[in-house]
Amino acid sequence: MSDTAPTKSKHFLETIIEEDLASNKHEGRVVTRFPPEPNGYLHVGHARSIWVNFGLAQQYGGVCNLRFDDTNPEKESQEFIDAIQEDVRWLGYEWNGDARYASSYFDKLYEWALHLIREGKAYVCELSAEQASEYRGWATKPGKDSPYRERSVEENLELFEKMRAGGFDEGAASLRAKIDMASPNMNLRDPILYRIRKVEHHQTGDKWCIYPSYDFAHGQEDAIEGVTHSICTLEFQSHRALYDWFVENLPVPARPTQYEMGRLNLNYTVTSKRKLKQLVDENHVAGWDDPRMPTISGMRRRGFTPNSLKSFCEMIPVSAKNNSDVDVAQLEKAIRDDLNEQAPRAMCVMNPLKVTVINIDEADSGLEMKAANHPNKPELGERVIPFSETLYIDKADFNEDNTLSRKKFKRLVSGEYVRLRSAYIIKSEEVIKDDAGEIIELKVSLVPGTVGENVEGVKPRGVIHWVSAENGVKATIRDYDRLFSDPNPDAGEGDFLAHINPNSLKEYEGVVEPALAAAKPEDSFQFEREGYFVADRFDHAADKLVFNKTIGLRDVWSGK
Ligand code: ATP
Ligand code: MG
């Protein structure tokens, strides 16, 4: 065989779609949809769902709809609608036609509710919420019929109209399907179709004071849109019977099928929208797009790329049976691998220590160093790094103690040599301290002729990064780390907020090499020896450089 690329085995959704295409089940069409509720920003789990739905449509020449499942107006807003569209586009996907809204089908759904009433398959129930839950029973105890269950069609039509016209208080009445109060599937125990909510809707204004339930809306919306493969997560498996019941009992224009797949769970991460909202509302983070948030906009601001998120999604098996519990280190690896390939290299000193070169000689080799922008991508070119009499190195790269082992401390110590990346080997000559005993400056000598060369008898301990103090540019460096320090912040009885990592953000006033003054928002770099950083999407400007740490060069959590 000439083709040695490993062929990935097909996952169950690919198999189903291919069988449907082969049998011409939907006249060769593949229509999927991504149906977020606009009650928060999208998170990494949604990225997975987007990748599945838009990805399958692309793969099989189909289309994917974006549909806002806006049946709960209290919690929804235009801000979330806008953010969701921006995130989907940023990931590189385009939806079929205009964005759709469950609310634009409210007239149709209302008509279908009337249809069920006329068929004797729905009734207006006036049990209170507590009574209704008592009548419902539980998994092993059959429910009891509501006393309102046998109302006549006429009475139900009249009462449902009264609900619609605002004649009941919230909670005083609901429309329920008449299915089976003894069904082993709780979802079939006369589920609610419509409830009263006297609130404005961001799309329909005050037109409605009754709103359809998620279950009554979802399958019918799929049918209206001609969705062929309605993919959701496993927790909706037991809703499928109800989904099918509606599709069978209503004059819907098409008969979509729901397929369930495992949900993505990440350790060290919360993805419940309620908890993410709490983090924002209580100012534990700076907003939905705080770079520590697992939201798509947060990850974007952190420096993740669409490709890294897609390749992360590709690593995780699509399962019909199990949720995927994934180590966040896999997500971090995906971005590290992507940036290792793409990001130009640069130098940034986060904690500057002044260094004076006592024997600098302009004639020696000139004051401009050159460095490749990428170690194995010559096409990315090289840049000039000015060298000067005063430099900065990182405080952490110097130690007075020259008895430290050469293996453990491969940096600069008193009286010894170290190489400055892409420049000279230097020797520490003198340490200058302030009155408090703090090291404030080093005097060093450079070894002439050592740019790109070694000299007999001069053995540097290692290579450190540096920036010219005369030409370097100040920059704010936001050193981000995982937001939670516990692998399961959500587990147990305790408050997930107790697991917030107190060191998830450290800010430094650092210095970067002058070439970085030209960085544009969202440009990524590898700061040598420090990690991958991105110019902040919003706060970075030509006169105020701000870089966010995306991820370190290696995983420092796995050994903890
Ligand atoms: P929550 O209940 O946490 O507020 P949700 O999952 O109900 O959020 P939706 O806006 O309804 O949020 O989700 C839109 C789509 O994204 C749904 O099809 C849902 O199944 C999918 N989705 C959400 N979270 C995940 C996840 N962790 N893994 C895979 N798919 C997900
Ligand atoms: Mg939902």
Side-chain angles (χ1 to χ4, degrees):
M1 275 205 338
S2 59
D3 187 3
T4 50
T7 44
K8 241 179 117 198
S9 64
K10 289 188 179 35
H11 61 68
F12 80 104
L13 292 171
E14 291 173 320
T15 306
I16 289 169
I17 292 177
E18 288 180 21
E19 282 168 6
D20 290 349
L21 286 174
S23 69
N24 211 27
K25 185 169 170 192
H26 307 284
E27 295 85 39
R29 287 177 309 121
V30 174
V31 183
T32 57
R33 86 284 170 273
F34 172 63
E37 184 177 352
N39 61 352
Y41 281 55
L42 299 180
H43 56 62
V44 61
H46 295 117
R48 165 77 163 173
S49 178
I50 291 168
W51 173 79
V52 168
N53 282 296
F54 283 89
L56 285 171
Q58 263 176 5
Q59 192 177 335
Y60 293 105
V63 291
C64 181
N65 293 350
L66 172 64
R67 180 171 74 229
F68 292 106
D69 237 315
D70 55 348
T71 54
N72 269 315
E74 300 99 307
K75 294 185 177 161
E76 301 163 0
S77 76
Q78 190 62 41
E79 177 196 351
F80 297 142
I81 290 173
D82 295 341
I84 289 169
Q85 302 198 37
E86 184 171 20
D87 288 346
V88 174
R89 287 212 175 96
W90 176 73
L91 283 172
Y93 296 112
E94 198 45 62
W95 47 89
N96 175 32
D98 290 337
R100 291 147 214 259
Y101 295 84
S103 54
S104 57
Y105 310 131
F106 281 174
D107 286 326
K108 192 84 207 164
L109 291 167
Y110 179 74
E111 203 180 288
W112 282 338
L114 293 175
H115 177 90
L116 288 179
I117 295 175
R118 287 192 200 102
E119 299 273 303
K121 291 173 183 164
Y123 61 99
V124 172
C125 181
E126 290 170 70
L127 289 179
S128 69
E130 298 88 284
Q131 289 169 322
S133 118
E134 194 196 311
Y135 272 74
R136 222 168 152 232
W138 51 84
T140 52
K141 181 176 187 282
K144 312 185 281 197
D145 286 357
S146 159
Y148 304 101
R149 200 173 197 260
E150 299 308 329
R151 282 176 154 157
S152 69
V153 168
E154 290 65 36
E155 194 184 1
N156 279 316
L157 286 172
E158 201 175 295
L159 291 171
F160 189 46
E161 169 55 24
K162 184 175 165 192
M163 277 174 66
R164 195 196 59 77
F168 284 103
D169 286 341
E170 282 196 12
S174 63
L175 184 73
R176 299 176 66 179
K178 194 194 271 192
I179 308 182
D180 178 5
M181 286 306 291
S183 171
N185 183 342
M186 299 284 288
N187 293 298
L188 297 180
R189 295 187 187 173
D190 291 9
I192 289 182
L193 309 183
Y194 268 91
R195 22 173 97 76
I196 300 166
R197 284 276 180 282
K198 297 191 171 172
V199 289
E200 283 253 328
H201 188 288
H202 47 96
Q203 303 299 315
T204 56
D206 59 5
K207 176 169 176 188
W208 298 95
C209 66
I210 54 170
Y211 291 98
S213 62
Y214 169 88
D215 279 327
F216 187 59
H218 205 80
Q220 288 86 291
E221 291 156 13
D222 286 340
I224 293 169
E225 293 179 7
V227 168
T228 55
H229 299 84
S230 174
I231 301 160
C232 64
T233 35
L234 283 175
E235 66 273 23
F236 290 99
Q237 207 158 40
S238 65
H239 293 241
R240 195 192 329 133
L242 180 54
Y243 184 105
D244 291 342
W245 190 89
F246 289 130
V247 169
E248 276 154 28
N249 286 284
L250 288 170
V252 287
R255 299 194 144 217
T257 309
Q258 171 183 298
Y259 301 96
E260 306 89 20
M261 60 173 281
R263 212 180 161 81
L264 166 67
N265 300 320
L266 273 186
N267 66 4
Y268 292 95
T269 308
V270 301
T271 48
S272 141
K273 273 191 257 180
R274 185 176 62 74
K275 290 180 180 164
L276 295 177
K277 185 168 183 325
Q278 192 182 345
L279 287 167
V280 174
D281 291 347
E282 296 178 5
N283 299 312
H284 300 287
V285 293
W288 285 96
D289 63 1
D290 184 295
R292 291 163 293 180
M293 290 282 272
T295 51
I296 294 177
S297 53
M299 292 189 287
R300 174 177 182 180
R301 233 181 135 180
R302 179 79 175 256
F304 279 70
T305 57
N307 275 342
S308 65
L309 290 176
K310 287 182 203 163
S311 68
F312 168 67
C313 288
E314 251 155 58
M315 291 177 204
I316 306 159
V318 173
S319 167
K321 293 202 176 68
N322 302 304
N323 290 332
S324 308
D325 293 318
V326 175
D327 189 343
V328 72
Q330 254 183 281
L331 174 62
E332 295 168 346
K333 181 179 176 341
I335 183 61
R336 193 181 286 119
D337 288 352
D338 188 43
L339 292 177
N340 183 35
E341 278 293 304
Q342 312 298 336
R345 275 44 176 175
M347 291 197 281
C348 164
V349 174
M350 287 171 54
N351 248 323
L353 172 62
K354 185 178 172 192
V355 172
T356 304
V357 184
I358 54 178
N359 62 337
I360 192 154
D361 172 5
E362 292 186 30
D364 185 33
S365 70
L367 294 177
E368 290 195 333
M369 306 296 145
K370 287 209 170 79
N373 285 327
H374 196 285
N376 38 36
K377 287 199 161 177
E379 67 273 21
L380 290 186
E382 51 175 32
R383 66 198 190 279
V384 166
I385 311 175
F387 192 81
S388 58
E389 190 171 2
T390 49
L391 310 169
Y392 291 120
I393 66 168
D394 201 283
K395 283 185 179 148
D397 285 337
F398 176 74
N399 200 306
E400 266 190 289
D401 181 2
N402 57 13
T403 66
L404 286 171
S405 105
R406 284 184 76 91
K407 269 215 172 87
K408 286 212 177 108
F409 196 75
K410 298 179 177 173
R411 314 178 195 185
L412 187 60
V413 296
S414 289
E416 291 196 24
Y417 296 100
V418 80
R419 175 176 287 286
L420 297 178
R421 169 83 86 202
S422 306
Y424 296 97
I425 295 172
I426 56 166
K427 183 182 182 194
S428 165
E429 303 283 358
E430 188 188 345
V431 178
I432 297 173
K433 297 180 182 175
D434 64 12
D435 295 342
E438 180 100 11
I439 300 172
I440 51 168
E441 186 182 346
L442 299 181
K443 304 256 188 221
V444 305
S445 58
L446 63 76
V447 186
T450 51
V451 178
E453 306 281 339
N454 285 317
V455 171
E456 270 292 309
V458 175
K459 285 209 164 53
R461 278 187 168 231
V463 182
I464 63 173
H465 59 281
W466 58 280
V467 169
S468 153
E470 285 149 44
N471 303 281
V473 185
K474 283 192 179 149
T476 299
I477 310 295
R478 298 172 180 159
D479 181 2
Y480 290 108
D481 201 354
R482 293 181 184 175
L483 182 56
F484 293 99
S485 45
D486 188 286
N488 298 303
D490 252 350
E493 298 296 295
D495 185 359
F496 76 105
L497 297 172
H499 299 298
I500 289 184
N501 173 8
N503 297 314
S504 62
L505 169 57
K506 286 182 262 175
E507 241 182 58
Y508 297 90
E509 289 308 318
V511 184
V512 295
E513 57 171 271
L516 284 183
K520 298 276 175 297
E522 303 206 88
D523 283 351
S524 285
F525 301 91
Q526 183 197 89
F527 288 167
E528 307 236 18
R529 301 179 63 240
E530 294 290 3
Y532 296 97
F533 291 75
V534 66
D536 188 77
R537 186 177 166 203
F538 300 117
D539 300 337
H540 175 91
D543 57 352
K544 185 180 178 294
L545 311 189
V546 181
F547 293 96
N548 299 333
K549 183 167 182 175
T550 307
I551 193 69
L553 294 173
R554 53 197 72 79
D555 183 5
V556 292
W557 282 82
S558 60
K560 283 191 184 176

